[in-house]
Amino acid sequence: MSEAVENEARWYVVHTYSGYENKVKADIEKTIENRKLQDQILEVLVPLQDVVELKNGAKKQVSKKMFPGYVLLNMIMNDATWYVVRNTRGVTGFVGPGSKPVPLTESEMKNLGIKVPEMEIDVELGDMVKVVSGAWAGTVGTITDINAAKQVVTIEVDIFGRGTSVEISFMDVTKVE
């Protein structure tokens, strides 16, 4: 797995005690603020849906949790963020086999109504770009591929005198004029 992919925020699902979803959301948001993790845990979501209930003969529109007992997180998975979320009161664990959190796929996100941000990049094949953040910061390379769906460019960089392909997020490159 390349560095660029590891540093990308993905959507994860955590299981909570039933009825604790909003408390977990508030606690995680407070911890994000206290520990200055805004750039690593980007969004905490308790998906709601509007439904019409019939009570005492009257129709009433109410918001209900789409997934009782679950909270969605858009985050960069690393030891620090895993620890913060896993040790939040009310969280019983991440969804995934064993203790390994598994991110939602793009199609699962679309089914949940989560928009995958579309991003345009003002570069073309053959352009020189400089990596501005991440493990490859400061590296200059030539674009050999642009993948709009994954929001990454593949650049050719020189490592020990040999050309090597590296995937970098759109967010982490700037065009060299």
Side-chain angles (χ1 to χ4, degrees), residues 102-117:
V102 176
L104 293 172
T105 64
E106 227 169 274
S107 63
E108 288 169 331
M109 290 166 35
K110 283 180 184 155
N111 290 340
L112 295 174
I114 299 171
K115 300 266 187 287
V116 179

